[in-house]
Amino acid sequence: MSRVSKNLGFTVPPAMAEEFEQLAKAEQSTKSELFRRMVRLYKTYRNPIGQRTDNAEGWVERLILEAQEEERRNPMTAEEFAAETERLMDYGAERSRALGIRSEEELNEMLYAERETSRQATRRS
């Protein structure tokens, strides 16, 4: 049976190693998973946008490009922008109430828990 992973060995300055470990801890991730995500993102962003292949992050790039094109064609006035910002804030508050979220800290806890569940599912597959 072949290995599903390979151990890589490389060196970095101690300060960078500490920063990497702190980042993994803050992301509630292992260093290995953080490194895998970093490589995936690097592969995505090292190519010019027009040359990127479809991947998990591709829809975000397309959405951003579409929004930029829409803004270029139909720019919002300052009043329209303020009204849209207010509408989105009201929508977010309404959804939070509907989900029983009472604070930003509670929302962050829910997001971290969901990310951890997602990471564990990815590790199992």
Side-chain angles (χ1 to χ4, degrees):
M1 187 163 134
S2 65
R3 285 184 61 127
V4 294
S5 63
K6 181 173 175 141
N7 192 0
L8 296 177
F10 53 88
T11 61
V12 295
M16 184 179 282
E18 179 64 27
E19 186 177 12
F20 186 77
E21 290 171 1
Q22 289 175 356
L23 184 58
K25 186 176 182 178
E27 292 285 320
Q28 296 182 343
S29 175
T30 65
K31 291 182 282 184
S32 295
E33 179 56 31
L34 177 59
F35 182 78
R36 287 189 291 269
R37 281 187 285 151
M38 290 168 67
V39 169
R40 284 192 297 268
L41 284 170
Y42 173 76
K43 283 172 44 180
T44 299
Y45 292 102
R46 69 181 253 241
N47 294 328
I49 290 176
Q51 296 176 6
R52 293 183 186 162
T53 59
D54 279 339
N55 55 36
E57 292 86 15
W59 71 271
V60 174
E61 293 169 3
R62 286 190 300 277
L63 182 63
I64 290 169
L65 289 173
E66 288 172 14
Q68 288 172 336
E69 179 61 23
E70 173 65 23
E71 177 62 21
R72 188 188 62 72
R73 283 194 313 263
N74 302 307
M76 285 183 164
T77 66
E79 293 80 16
E80 290 171 327
F81 182 78
E84 181 67 2
T85 299
E86 185 67 29
R87 185 188 71 78
L88 291 171
M89 289 176 64
D90 289 345
Y91 173 76
E94 177 185 318
R95 292 299 302 144
S96 293
R97 280 191 299 275
L99 294 170
I101 301 169
R102 295 177 297 276
S103 69
E104 188 172 340
E105 292 79 19
E106 193 173 326
L107 174 62
N108 287 332
E109 288 173 11
M110 292 174 68
L111 290 172
Y112 283 123
E114 180 59 33
R115 288 178 185 162
E116 184 58 30
T117 301
S118 177
R119 285 185 192 113
Q120 289 173 358
T122 301
R123 289 179 191 136
R124 281 180 248 157
S125 57

